[in-house]
Amino acid sequence: MNPEVVVVGAGLAGLRCARELVERGRSVLVLEASRRVGGRVRTDRVEGFRLDRGFQVLHTAYEEARQALDYKALDLRAFYPGALVRSRGRFHLLADPWRHPVDALSTLFSPIASLADGLRMARLRREVLRADAEAIYRRPETSALERLQTLRFSPQVIDRVFRPFFAGVFFDPFLSVSSRAFEFYLRAFVTGDMALPANGIQAIPEQLAAGLPPGSVRTLARVRAAGDGRVVLESGEEIKTDAIVIATDGGEAIRLLGSGEAPPMRSTTCLYFAADQPPVTRPILLINGDGQGHVNSVLVPSLLSPAYAPAGQHLITVNVLGNPDKLISVLENSVRSQLHEWFGPKVRDWQHLKTYRIPRALPMQTPPVEYPAAVNPRVGPGLFLCGEYRNAPSTNWALASGRRAAEAVLEG
């Protein structure tokens, strides 16, 4: 029996779309080209460690995530709300004054931010909290850097805090992203936690897939063509259906649609190390406030959840912006040398586990950026589109685009 709807792609958007359709009584088949669900939201097992493919987190404030996911079942583990900023040979604690007012006092006596910057941050925080997501994306738009400069933040806090912190979010060290996207993410930071599932980021798509009927997801099923009420697999198998939802990345979506232009993308690189002792004692993000060297940020997922590493060991994540044109061994040595300055000679004993190069990690999100929920998922008769292509990236907008595609299918 042919399914009423075929969803091409088992990333977050495709799985959310399928879940919404199944819950409303439609029969759905999800086709995934790779071996596992999740798209780029993956966790690999290497020598007993859980390696997320690149720096990925879940912001608990995301409205779509709260609707679609069972946070308790994911056993979310939250980062400390703040960061350790490496500047001038030392680490300086940057704490959220609304959640950790005592810790925040140390920030006033550090070289990374002034009292005036703190007051400007309070003003910006009030502005993003007064608006919901739609209102933020309807605001006048500029770049994130220009927005911060307009608010008269000091160059030192822009360079030592905003630039490295949000470079880890957008993979953009120049803060050229849309001020709308910047304020949307800032709102998520100040209203919720940055967290990881206890068993790795792939627990998120696995939870979505677990809510589908048995046999609803077929992996290793790459689609050759889709349209006119039929989907053709690379194997030659043809599946007839009433509706097709393309939920792939931009390149695959364009291939299947036969037209369009992929958005310019940013790249990132992530190195994983194993160590007997962690370089810090609490689950907090460490960011490079000096802007020198390859390292943008460091974190220790095993301090969030022991499931990330075998007993007696710790997992260390090192994030590098872009895709440096170096051999992995050369990049590893460069990173290790920089971290030796940060943490001392013990870095020499860290075991390199794996390096992920992710050349198409995120769309650039430079202006103009429209409100993602305003994008029409219908692209033709019986043909719908969801995912990051023509939408903003992030867990929130991936889930939202999947839900909206399902609603468009149901409308007929």
Side-chain angles (χ1 to χ4, degrees):
M1 183 176 178
N2 292 320
E4 294 173 274
V5 185
V6 171
V7 177
V8 182
L12 299 186
L15 293 171
R16 175 78 186 284
C17 179
R19 283 281 296 268
E20 293 289 321
L21 291 168
V22 166
E23 289 171 5
R24 287 162 175 76
R26 295 293 199 273
S27 61
V28 179
L29 176 62
V30 181
L31 301 174
E32 169 57 41
S34 65
R35 294 181 179 275
R36 291 183 285 166
V37 301
R40 288 197 300 269
V41 185
R42 298 278 188 90
T43 304
D44 297 328
R45 298 297 296 269
V46 177
E47 298 185 28
F49 293 87
R50 297 178 190 265
L51 311 185
D52 295 333
R53 292 196 181 183
F55 179 43
Q56 303 184 60
V57 297
L58 173 65
H59 294 285
T60 60
Y62 284 161
E63 180 179 350
E64 294 288 339
R66 292 200 304 267
Q67 294 175 7
L69 303 174
D70 182 343
Y71 282 3
K72 184 176 181 180
L74 288 174
D75 192 10
L76 295 179
R77 308 296 176 91
F79 290 81
Y80 177 90
L84 281 172
V85 182
R86 180 74 177 182
S87 180
R88 299 180 180 179
R90 295 179 52 200
F91 284 105
H92 305 275
L93 179 63
L94 179 68
D96 184 336
W98 288 269
R99 287 188 258 188
H100 289 283
V102 175
D103 288 352
L105 291 175
S106 65
T107 305
L108 297 177
F109 302 100
S110 74
I112 60 173
S114 65
L115 176 59
D117 285 318
L119 296 174
R120 294 179 186 112
M121 186 63 210
R123 173 189 168 190
L124 178 56
R125 185 178 186 272
R126 286 195 302 270
E127 289 186 12
V128 300
L129 289 179
R130 279 200 296 261
D132 61 11
E134 181 172 2
I136 286 174
Y137 276 92
R138 303 294 188 194
R139 286 178 172 173
E141 185 180 29
T142 182
S143 71
L145 178 59
E146 291 170 333
R147 177 76 171 116
L148 292 170
Q149 291 172 335
T150 299
L151 291 169
R152 302 182 66 185
F153 279 97
S154 68
Q156 70 181 33
V157 81
I158 291 176
D159 289 339
R160 297 176 187 172
V161 177
F162 285 107
R163 197 182 296 276
F165 188 87
F166 282 95
V169 176
F170 298 109
F171 307 140
D172 171 19
F174 307 108
L175 292 177
S176 60
V177 298
S178 165
S179 58
R180 295 170 177 173
F182 165 73
E183 292 192 6
F184 171 76
Y185 283 92
L186 180 61
R187 189 177 191 278
F189 281 117
V190 301
T191 57
D193 290 318
M194 189 170 71
L196 286 171
N199 289 318
I201 200 71
Q202 188 157 357
I204 295 174
E206 287 177 348
Q207 184 182 94
L208 291 170
L212 297 173
S216 297
V217 179
R218 287 177 58 182
T219 57
L220 296 176
R222 188 170 189 268
V223 173
R224 180 194 302 165
D228 299 323
R230 68 189 186 103
V231 172
V232 181
L233 304 183
E234 286 289 351
S235 65
E237 179 184 355
E238 182 176 311
I239 302 169
K240 294 183 178 180
T241 184
D242 298 327
I244 301 167
V245 180
I246 297 175
T248 64
D249 63 23
E252 274 295 286
I254 290 169
R255 181 182 70 82
L256 293 171
L257 291 172
S259 63
E261 183 177 349
M265 304 287 284
R266 295 200 182 276
S267 59
T268 187
T269 303
C270 180
L271 294 85
Y272 281 105
F273 295 90
D276 295 335
Q277 297 294 327
V280 290
T281 58
R282 57 180 162 181
I284 187 170
L285 185 67
L286 290 76
I287 59 176
N288 182 356
D290 290 328
Q292 303 297 317
H294 286 299
V295 177
N296 180 69
S297 64
V298 176
L299 58 97
V300 186
S302 52
L303 291 176
L304 286 171
S305 168
Y308 268 92
Q313 297 193 67
H314 283 277
L315 178 65
I316 300 164
T317 307
V318 181
N319 300 297
V320 173
L321 299 180
N323 191 357
D325 186 18
K326 296 177 180 290
L327 295 173
I328 288 178
S329 59
V330 174
L331 179 61
E332 177 202 338
N333 289 335
S334 177
V335 165
R336 199 185 289 268
S337 176
Q338 186 174 357
L339 295 181
H340 182 278
E341 298 177 6
W342 288 23
F343 305 122
K346 60 186 177 184
V347 172
R348 289 197 295 261
D349 298 325
W350 291 2
Q351 176 192 356
H352 176 237
L353 294 169
K354 191 165 185 174
T355 294
Y356 289 99
R357 293 184 183 269
I358 307 172
R360 297 181 60 80
L362 284 178
M364 285 190 177
Q365 299 185 78
T366 51
V369 172
E370 298 181 5
Y371 178 47
V375 177
N376 187 354
R378 187 187 301 272
V379 292
L383 188 61
F384 305 85
L385 186 66
C386 64
E388 72 179 22
Y389 180 51
R390 300 200 315 166
N391 284 276
S394 84
T395 300
N396 185 81
W397 296 124
L399 294 170
S401 69
R403 173 182 57 78
R404 293 190 67 254
E407 291 169 353
V409 170
L410 294 168
E411 289 171 1

